[in-house]
C-alpha cells in the first residue's frame, strides 16, 4: 500500500524513511548530499582516507561491493555537478577542489593500465586505485564514456576561466588534458565499448551521446583559444556520431534501445541519464539530440518507467500513471537488481528539464510519438501544439510536475533518516542496499534539486544541429552488412544455422534457415544484409540428421546500425 504524504518521518522496516513534501525533502537532503559528495573526495574528505588529492572514490564501501576505487565516469559526473555549482555562482568556494581534480585526472591519464598507455587506448580504462596506480584485475574494459565525460566537465570549467580572463591557464594546462580525451573520442568512438553498467560489450546510447556532446563543445573551445588544427576532424566525427545516435531509436517499441548488444529488452536508465547529461536548454525540444522534452525522449521515458511497475514489490498498488521507483534496467540482478536512487532521480530530472523548456518557449508539442506519454495525464489529448495560455498546457504541465515530484518522493520515502544515499534500495521493502554513500547518488540529488529549482546551464551547442545528409539514407531505407559469429562445438555432420524475425533471416523458418560457415571452427559465421536501424531478433539452431535443436530462450537481439557494417559475436546457448 502507498504511504500517504504526511509531514513526518515514518518507520519502515527498521530504517527511518522520509516522507513529506518535495521542498522539505530538498531542504533537508541538499546539504547532506553536498557533504556526502565532499566526504568522498581526497585527500581530506571525511570518508575517503587514502585517496590522493582530487581523487573521487565511488563509495567508501570496501567489501560487497568493493567500490574503494576511482571511476572516470563517476568522478567526471560528480565534478560536472560541482563545476556547475561553481560556474553558476551557487558555490564559489569550490575552485581549489576543481583544480585538484584537474591535476589528479592529468596524472591518471598518463598511468599505463590494462587498456593501454595514454597513446594506445589507456584513456578508456574504467577505474584506478585511489592512490592513482593502475587497477590490474579483470574488468569490463574499455569503457569509452569516461574520456568524453571528463572532457565535458573540464570544458565547462575552461569556458568559465576564459570568461574570467584566464585563457592562459586554459591553453597551457586544461586544454592539453581535454585534447587527449577528445582525440581518444574522435579516434575510437566507432569501436565497441562496455556500457556504463560495465556489463554489455557493444555500442551504447549513453556513450555515443556523451561522446557527441564532448566533441561539439570541444570544437567551440578549440576555436575560442585558437587550437584550430583539431576542428575539422572533430566536426567530421561529431557528424558521424550524430548519425549513429539515431540508430538506437526503436520505432516499433517507441523507445531507445540502450545497447546494440546484450540480448535484453534495451529498456534502460542509460537513456534517461543521456537526456539529462546532454540537456541543452538552448536546443528546445530538438529530437536529433534526444532533448528531455523531445517526443522520442518522452516516449522512451514512459516505456522505461513502466518496465519497473510490476517487477518491484514496493511499486505494487501505485496507479499506472504515477511515479514508481526505477532501476538500471528491468532484467538487472546485480546486488539484487533493485531500484537505484540515481536512476529514479534521473527520471524526475528529465521531467523538470522538460518543464523548464516548455515554460521558456511558452508552448508544448504533442506528437504521435509522445501521445502515449501525455495521454497518461490527459486521455483525451491529441497531437498538436498547445500554447501556454491553453488549458491543455496548464493541465499537462501541472500533471508532469506532479509526476516528476513523485519520483523525488519515491527516493525520499526510502531515504533513511540520516539522509545517507546508498546505491540501491530493496525492491521488496525499500531498505538501502549495496554500496553505502555512493558519491554518484549524492551528485544525482544535487543535479535533480537544481533542475527542480529551474536552474539551467550554458549551452553546449545542441541548438540547431541537423542530421548530415550523408546519414539520412542509412537511417531510413538502407541495408547494412551484419556478420554473425557464434562459438559452437558440434559433432561431425551437425551444422549451425541462423533464423530470425526479418525476411532476410527467413522469419523464424527452420527449413530455410541460413547455414553458417565453419571455416574458422568452432566459430561459425555468416554475413547477411539486414535493414539499417532496425531491431532484429534471431536464434541459432543446430541441425543433425534432420533434427532441429533451438538455442535456449530468450531470443537474441540486435539493433542494426544506421549505416556501414556490424559484427555480432555470440556463444551458442
Ligand atoms: C560490477 C559492475 O560494477 C556492475 O555494474 C555489474 O553489474 C557487476 N559487476 C556484474 O557484472
Ligand atoms: C557500478 C555501476 O554499474 C557503474 O556505473 C559505476 O561506475 C560503478 N558501480 C561505480 O559506482
Amino acid at each position: 500500500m502507498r504511504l500517504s504524504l504526511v509531514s513526518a518521518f515514518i518507520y519502515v522496516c527498521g530504517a527511518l524513511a522520509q516522507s513529506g513534501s518535495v521542498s522539505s525533502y530538498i531542504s533537508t537532503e541538499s546539504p547532506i548530499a553536498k557533504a556526502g559528495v565532499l566526504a568522498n573526495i581526497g585527500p581530506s574528505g571525511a570518508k575517503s582516507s587514502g585517496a590522493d588529492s582530487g581523487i573521487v572514490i565511488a563509495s567508501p564501501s570496501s567489501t560487497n561491493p568493493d567500490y574503494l576505487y576511482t571511476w572516470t565516469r563517476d568522478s567526471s559526473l560528480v565534478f560536472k555537478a560541482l563545476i556547475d555549482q561553481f560556474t553558476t555562482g551557487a558555490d564559489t568556494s569550490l575552485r581549489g577542489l576543481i583544480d585538484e581534480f584537474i591535476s589528479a585526472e592529468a596524472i591518471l591519464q598518463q598511468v599505463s593500465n590494462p587498456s593501454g598507455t595514454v597513446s594506445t587506448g589507456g584513456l578508456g580504462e574504467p577505474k584506478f586505485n585511489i592512490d592513482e596506480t593502475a587497477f590490474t584485475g579483470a574488468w569490463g574494459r574499455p569503457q569509452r564514456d569516461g574520456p568524453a565525460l571528463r572532457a565535458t566537465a573540464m570544458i565547462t570549467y575552461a569556458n568559465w576561466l576564459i570568461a574570467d580572463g584566464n585563457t592562459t591557464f586554459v591553453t597551457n594546462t586544461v586544454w592539453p588534458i581535454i585534447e587527449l580525451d577528445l582525440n581518444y573520442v574522435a579516434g575510437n568512438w566507432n569501436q565497441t565499448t562496455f556500457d556504463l553498467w560495465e556489463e554489455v560489450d557493444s555500442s551504447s546510447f549513453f556513450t555515443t551521446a556523451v561522446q557527441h556532446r564532448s566533441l561539439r563543445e570541444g570544437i567551440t573551445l578549440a576555436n575560442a583559444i585558437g587550437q584550430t588544427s583539431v576542428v575539422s576532424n572533430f566536426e567530421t566525427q561529431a557528424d558521424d556520431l550524430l548519425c549513429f545516435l539515431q540508430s538506437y531509436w526503436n520505432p516499433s517499441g517507441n523507445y531507445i534501445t540502450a545497447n546494440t548488444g546484450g540480448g535484453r529488452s534495451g529498456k534502460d536508465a542509460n537513456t534517461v541519464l543521456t537526456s539529462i547529461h546532454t540537456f541543452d536548454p538552448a536546443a528546445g525540444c530538438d529530437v536529433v539530440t534526444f532533448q528531455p522534452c523531445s517526443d522520442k525522449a518522452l516516449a522512451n521515458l514512459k516505456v522505461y518507467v513502466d518496465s519497473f511497475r510490476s517487477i518491484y514489490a514496493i511499486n505494487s498498488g501505485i496507479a499506472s500513471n504515477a511515479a514508481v521507483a526505477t532501476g538500471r534496467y528491468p532484467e538487472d540482478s546485480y546486488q539484487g537488481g533493485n531500484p537505484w536512487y540515481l536512476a529514479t532521480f534521473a527520471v524526475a530530472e528529465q521531467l523538470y528539464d522538460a518543464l523548464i523548456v516548455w515554460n521558456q518557449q511558452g508552448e508544448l508539442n504533442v506528437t504521435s510519438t509522445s501521445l502515449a506519454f501525455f495521454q497518461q495525464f490527459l486521455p483525451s489529448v491529441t497531437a498538436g501544439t498547445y500554447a501556454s495560455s491553453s488549458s491543455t498546457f496548464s493541465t499537462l504541465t501541472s500533471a508532469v510536475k506532479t509526476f516528476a515530484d513523485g519520483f523525488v518522493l519515491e527516493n525520499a520515502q526510502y531515504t533513511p533518516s540520516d539522509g545517507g544515499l546508498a546505491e540501491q534500495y530493496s525492491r521488496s521493502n525499500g531498505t538501502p542496499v549495496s554500496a553505502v554513500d555512493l558519491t554518484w547518488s549524492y551528485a544525482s540529488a544535487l543535479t535533480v534539486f537544481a533542475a527542480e529549482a529551474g536552474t539551467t546551464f550554458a549551452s553546449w551547442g545542441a541548438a540547431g544541429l541537423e542530421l548530415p545528409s550523408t546519414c539520412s539514407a542509412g537511417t531510413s531505407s538502407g541495408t547494412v552488412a551484419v556478420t554473425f559469429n557464434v562459438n559452437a562445438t558440434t559433432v561431425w555432420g551437425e551444422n549451425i544455422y541462423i533464423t530470425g524475425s526479418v525476411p532476410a533471416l527467413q522469419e523464424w523458418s527452420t527449413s530455410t534457415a541460413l547455414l553458417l560457415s565453419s571455416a574458422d571452427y568452432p566459430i561459425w559465421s555468416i554475413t547477411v544484409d539486414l535493414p539499417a536501424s532496425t531491431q532484429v531478433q534471431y536464434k541459432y539452431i543446430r541441425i543433425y540428421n534432420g533434427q532441429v535443436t533451438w538455442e535456449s530462450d530468450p531470443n537474441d537481439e540486435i539493433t542494426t546500425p544506421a549505416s556501414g557494417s556490424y559484427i555480432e559475436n555470440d556463444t551458442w546457448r
Side-chain angles (χ1 to χ4, degrees):
M1 203 184 78
R2 190 104 196 269
L3 293 158
S4 65
L5 307 178
V6 287
S7 306
F9 294 115
I10 41 161
Y11 195 76
V12 174
C13 303
L16 281 169
Q18 297 183 11
S19 189
S21 67
V22 167
S23 63
S24 72
Y25 179 66
I26 292 179
S27 59
T28 348
E29 188 60 25
S30 200
I32 296 173
K34 182 68 174 290
V37 166
L38 298 178
N40 288 355
I41 303 173
S44 27
K47 295 192 174 172
S48 47
S49 89
D52 280 358
S53 166
I55 290 292
V56 181
I57 63 169
S59 146
S61 171
S62 58
T63 50
N64 191 32
D66 183 0
Y67 275 18
L68 206 41
Y69 295 94
T70 186
W71 271 262
T72 307
R73 167 180 42 262
D74 298 46
S75 308
S76 302
L77 290 171
V78 164
F79 260 96
K80 173 65 164 58
L82 294 180
I83 289 167
D84 281 341
Q85 287 201 345
F86 176 73
T87 57
T88 56
D91 183 348
T92 54
S93 75
L94 292 168
R95 187 165 183 172
L97 203 60
I98 295 167
D99 288 336
E100 288 174 10
F101 165 70
I102 289 179
S103 306
E105 296 301 315
I107 292 170
L108 289 180
Q109 282 188 322
Q110 304 294 329
V111 174
S112 297
N113 62 63
S115 295
T117 67
V118 62
S119 53
T120 65
L123 295 173
E125 182 68 3
K127 71 172 192 178
F128 293 82
N129 296 319
I130 64 173
D131 65 357
E132 296 172 294
T133 59
F135 167 75
T136 55
W139 208 251
R141 58 169 66 90
Q143 296 176 19
R144 303 186 198 273
D145 55 336
L149 295 169
R150 181 164 57 198
T152 285
M154 291 197 191
I155 291 168
T156 308
Y157 184 48
N159 291 336
W160 180 88
L161 287 165
I162 292 170
D164 195 49
N166 210 340
T167 306
T168 315
F169 180 68
V170 172
T171 304
N172 297 342
T173 306
V174 193
W175 173 254
I177 306 167
I178 295 170
E179 188 182 18
L180 283 175
D181 280 339
L182 293 184
N183 278 330
Y184 177 87
V185 170
N188 296 284
W189 67 265
N190 214 358
Q191 310 288 317
T192 59
T193 176
F194 275 84
D195 70 321
L196 79 169
W197 310 134
E198 320 191 278
E199 296 172 336
V200 177
D201 188 14
S202 65
S203 293
S204 192
F205 182 70
F206 177 82
T207 305
T208 302
V210 299
Q211 288 174 331
H212 171 253
R213 172 184 173 157
S214 71
L215 288 184
R216 295 284 180 203
E217 55 197 342
I219 292 166
T220 308
L221 174 61
N223 280 324
I225 59 174
Q227 300 286 329
T228 49
S229 63
V230 295
V231 167
S232 113
N233 179 42
F234 286 3
E235 276 171 350
T236 306
Q237 303 308 323
D239 282 350
D240 286 353
L241 273 157
L242 190 59
C243 282
F244 183 48
L245 192 65
Q246 311 310 309
S247 69
Y248 295 88
W249 176 248
N250 170 352
S252 56
N254 218 22
Y255 66 95
I256 302 159
T257 307
N259 301 303
T260 57
R264 301 175 186 155
S265 63
K267 302 169 189 176
D268 196 312
N270 168 319
T271 59
V272 181
L273 290 164
T274 298
S275 246
I276 65 172
H277 292 304
T278 60
F279 175 40
D280 184 338
C285 298
D286 279 5
V287 73
V288 285
T289 52
F290 296 86
Q291 287 302 307
C293 57
S294 66
D295 57 357
K296 286 181 179 172
L298 293 171
N300 174 72
L301 189 78
K302 177 180 191 310
V303 172
Y304 161 76
V305 168
D306 286 349
S307 76
F308 297 96
R309 293 191 180 280
S310 61
I311 66 169
Y312 296 156
I314 59 168
N315 289 340
S316 76
I318 295 179
S320 65
N321 64 353
V324 289
T326 67
R328 297 196 299 183
Y329 51 91
E331 301 88 346
D332 198 2
S333 61
Y334 172 62
Q335 293 281 331
N338 296 292
W340 282 43
Y341 292 101
L342 69 88
T344 308
F345 276 147
V347 176
E349 186 168 336
Q350 183 187 327
L351 295 165
Y352 290 138
D353 289 346
L355 286 162
I356 289 170
V357 175
W358 290 327
N359 286 320
Q360 165 192 293
Q361 64 189 17
E363 64 179 34
L364 169 162
N365 199 20
V366 178
T367 71
S368 57
T369 302
S370 57
L371 191 59
F373 170 82
F374 288 108
Q375 282 182 335
Q376 300 179 98
F377 313 114
L378 185 58
S380 62
V381 75
T382 53
T385 299
Y386 300 95
S388 56
S389 55
S390 67
S391 65
T392 304
F393 182 94
S394 331
T395 305
L396 289 175
T397 51
S398 87
V400 169
K401 174 74 165 76
T402 305
F403 190 49
D405 287 348
F407 291 91
V408 175
L409 292 173
E410 282 295 318
N411 277 350
Q413 183 178 339
Y414 301 115
T415 300
S417 60
D418 66 2
L421 295 180
E423 181 183 73
Q424 314 182 16
Y425 48 93
S426 161
R427 62 201 286 160
S428 52
N429 64 26
T431 52
V433 281
S434 190
V436 294
D437 292 315
L438 189 81
T439 326
W440 187 2
S441 293
Y442 288 126
S444 74
L446 297 181
T447 59
V448 72
F449 296 166
E452 192 272 345
T455 314
T456 55
F457 305 97
S459 168
W460 57 265
L465 287 178
E466 276 171 22
L467 284 183
S469 54
T470 44
C471 79
S472 47
T475 50
S476 51
S477 57
T479 60
V480 288
V482 177
T483 301
F484 293 92
N485 296 318
V486 60
N487 189 325
T489 309
T490 46
V491 298
W492 186 249
E494 184 179 36
N495 287 308
I496 302 291
Y497 297 76
I498 187 171
T499 184
S501 59
V502 290
L505 289 178
Q506 307 304 316
E507 295 181 305
W508 297 115
S509 159
T510 54
S511 55
T512 59
L514 309 174
L515 174 64
L516 276 66
S517 156
S518 60
D520 293 316
Y521 183 84
I523 307 297
W524 294 73
S525 184
I526 190 172
T527 300
V528 190
D529 283 336
L530 294 180
S533 305
T534 304
Q535 203 171 38
V536 174
Q537 293 203 340
Y538 63 95
K539 262 190 183 180
Y540 301 102
I541 58 176
R542 45 177 87 219
I543 305 186
Y544 183 51
N545 284 338
Q547 280 260 11
V548 176
T549 310
W550 288 85
E551 271 193 299
S552 60
D553 282 332
N555 295 330
D556 296 311
E557 188 172 281
I558 56 168
T559 300
T560 59
S563 58
S565 58
Y566 182 77
I567 299 176
E568 170 71 12
N569 294 315
D570 294 313
T571 302
W572 170 272
R573 239 189 11 234

